[in-house]
């Protein structure tokens, strides 16, 4: 049998443990791809997330750190990140009164970030994947409105840290 792993996800507002067949080998492959990938130029990328208002306030006040144990997908298109921050497939379903948040960072030339080829159905996304466990330090914040999506959000300018 293929190896599998257990992950938690939000489905219909409920946190559930899900077993995904073959994921262990897929994660190892992604780790290897990201470790061998390097950016050829500095690239501004964006990640949309839902966040509890209290968590957001603390991050902004304290110059906080954000760390996700999983892979982190960013886009070169800020409107895609903004839309994702408010979509039902984010943690919005599990968070009462969430804030729409867009992390903005400068992926640096030579950094181990996987640049994903733009293939349909995600053409134009400019996806960049950071490795598992990469953390970010908040440098600044501002409240914005995205004209393309009509979504109000908080943009956190962050810096990647180990």
């Amino acid at each position: 049998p293929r190896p599998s792993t257990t992950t938690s996800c939000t489905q219909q507002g409920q946190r559930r443990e899900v077993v995904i067949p073959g994921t262990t080998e897929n994660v190892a492959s992604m780790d290897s791809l990201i470790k061998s990938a390097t950016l050829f130029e500095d690239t501004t990328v964006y990640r949309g997330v839902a966040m509890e208002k209290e968590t957001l306030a603390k991050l902004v006040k304290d110059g906080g750190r954000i760390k996700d144990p999983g892979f982190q997908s960013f886009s070169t298109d800020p409107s895609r990140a903004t839309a994702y921050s408010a979509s039902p497939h984010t943690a919005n379903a599990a968070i009462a009164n969430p804030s729409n948040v867009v992390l903005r960072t400068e992926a640096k030339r030579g950094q181990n970030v996987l640049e994903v080829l733009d293939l349909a159905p995600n053409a134009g996304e400019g996806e960049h994947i950071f490795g598992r466990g990469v953390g970010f330090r908040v440098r600044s914040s501002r409240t914005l409105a995205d004209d393309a999506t009509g979504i109000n959000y908080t943009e956190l300018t962050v810096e990647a840290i180990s």
Side-chain angles (χ1 to χ4, degrees):
R2 293 177 63 183
S4 63
T5 193
T6 302
T7 187
S8 57
C9 67
T10 302
Q11 293 178 329
Q12 298 171 347
Q14 301 292 319
R15 295 293 290 173
R16 300 174 191 244
E17 297 296 315
V18 179
V19 176
I20 303 172
T23 304
T24 302
E25 62 194 27
N26 294 342
V27 168
S29 294
M30 285 292 293
D31 283 337
S32 178
L33 281 170
I34 293 169
K35 190 174 184 176
S36 65
T38 55
L39 290 178
F40 292 106
E41 62 186 0
D42 291 353
T43 307
T44 303
V45 291
Y46 306 85
R47 176 176 172 80
V49 297
M51 193 175 289
E52 292 178 349
K53 291 187 185 309
E54 297 79 22
T55 301
L56 175 61
K58 185 176 179 182
L59 284 171
V60 170
K61 180 182 175 189
D62 298 338
R65 295 174 187 228
I66 301 166
K67 190 163 187 172
D68 187 329
F71 299 108
Q72 298 175 70
S73 175
F74 284 73
S75 173
T76 55
D77 181 353
S79 289
R80 284 187 190 245
T82 304
Y84 194 85
S85 75
S87 70
H89 60 275
T90 64
N92 281 2
I95 297 174
N97 198 19
S99 292
N100 301 324
V101 178
V102 172
L103 307 179
R104 178 185 186 274
T105 192
E106 187 76 19
K108 300 292 185 184
R109 180 176 187 245
Q111 189 173 0
N112 293 114
V113 175
L114 180 63
E115 187 172 2
V116 179
L117 194 60
D118 280 338
L119 301 173
N122 295 322
E125 181 175 356
E127 185 176 16
H128 288 67
I129 302 174
F130 286 72
R132 295 186 296 150
V134 172
F136 296 89
R137 180 183 356 243
V138 176
R139 292 294 184 198
S140 65
S141 69
R142 61 184 179 159
T143 302
L144 299 169
D146 186 306
D147 293 336
T149 62
I151 296 170
N152 295 321
Y153 66 98
T154 300
E155 179 184 86
L156 298 179
T157 299
V158 297
E159 171 187 32
I161 54 175
S162 297

